[in-house]
Amino acid sequence: MAVAIVTGASKGLGRALAVALARQGWDLVLDARTGPVLEEAAREVRAHGTRVVALRGDVTDGWHRAALVAAARELGGLDLVVGNASALGAEPLVRLEALPLDGLRAALETNVVGALGLVQEALPLLRASGAGAVVVVSSDAAVEAYGTWGGYGASKAALDRLAAVLAVEEPGLRVWAVDPGDMRTDLYRAAVPADDDSGRPLPESVVPAFLRLLARRPASGRYVAPALLEVDA
């Protein structure tokens, strides 16, 4: 049975992806910072009959990252790491002139340092898998200059670069950075609370793009979810 770690799995894209993987028979290790919401997500995922370990914690904590990988090892190994946990740096987002430097550091710690730390911890199991893969959730803010999105976008751009270099250094793995596009999530509401997001698609709508990557295993690289969904349209 394939095993995946999904961070930021209590809601939004992480939760939607965890449910979809469970439907396909994956065993899962789920992470989030808020325990009650994570347990609720874990119950939904377990309803599909797979084994689920839910660990509350923060990916910036090395002990927590080690615990996530240890849980995967107990389930039999590790085939996939999904780095979905994200921090904005400021809520709501602000212009660079007002961006708290501690907020920027927090975004970098979660979106870049924590993500890489988890991959470092997981590499031995991923290499042993024979079909190991890493997915990091990127953003269009990593490649486009949007006002107020500078700190978050910088962290995602750094994450993209780490993913690209990891793919070169680990040719036996698949390493994909995926920009899911606009979504209706709590993260977006926190970023731009004055914006009406009712017209934005739900995270569930982009999950098929991630599943397509896992099924087809294209070359490592950066992908945009809507483009992946258009391949067979």
Side-chain angles (χ1 to χ4, degrees):
M1 192 71 70
V3 179
I5 294 173
V6 182
T7 67
S10 63
K11 52 190 175 181
L13 178 61
R15 181 168 177 166
L17 185 55
V19 170
L21 289 172
R23 286 177 180 148
Q24 293 193 344
W26 287 71
D27 291 329
L28 296 161
V29 179
L30 306 181
D31 145 281
R33 289 186 289 257
T34 306
V37 185
L38 177 61
E39 283 302 324
E40 179 185 313
R43 285 194 295 272
E44 180 182 5
V45 175
R46 288 190 185 102
H48 297 283
T50 59
R51 295 178 295 169
V52 178
V53 178
L55 296 176
R56 182 183 68 82
D58 194 313
V59 293
T60 64
D61 181 342
W63 288 100
H64 178 60
R65 296 192 299 263
L68 293 173
V69 174
R73 186 181 293 108
E74 287 296 315
L75 291 176
L78 182 60
D79 306 282
L80 171 67
V81 171
V82 179
N84 174 66
S86 292
L88 290 167
E91 297 182 13
L93 295 178
V94 295
R95 291 163 55 96
L96 287 176
E97 64 181 353
L99 178 63
L101 294 184
D102 284 347
L104 176 59
R105 291 187 186 98
L108 291 169
E109 281 290 334
T110 297
N111 302 350
V112 184
V113 180
L116 177 59
L118 179 58
V119 169
Q120 289 174 333
E121 191 79 35
L123 272 176
L125 292 182
L126 290 171
R127 290 167 178 154
S129 161
V134 174
V135 173
V136 297
V137 177
S138 184
S139 168
D140 56 345
V143 295
E144 299 289 344
Y146 301 129
T148 75
W149 289 85
Y152 179 78
S155 71
K156 290 296 185 176
L159 182 62
D160 282 357
R161 178 52 51 191
L162 288 183
V165 173
L166 180 66
V168 172
E169 294 177 346
E170 297 288 338
L173 304 181
R174 288 291 190 270
V175 184
W176 302 302
V178 182
D179 171 7
D182 287 343
M183 295 183 295
R184 194 188 321 167
T185 64
D186 287 354
L187 187 75
Y188 184 82
R189 293 186 195 101
V192 193
D195 192 18
D196 178 9
D197 68 349
S198 60
R200 295 178 182 274
L202 292 169
E204 288 80 1
S205 68
V206 302
V207 165
F210 289 82
L211 298 181
R212 182 163 293 175
L213 279 177
L214 295 174
R216 299 187 175 183
R217 295 183 62 83
S220 297
R222 190 179 193 278
Y223 292 86
V224 179
L228 287 168
L229 294 174
E230 291 173 0
V231 170
D232 292 334

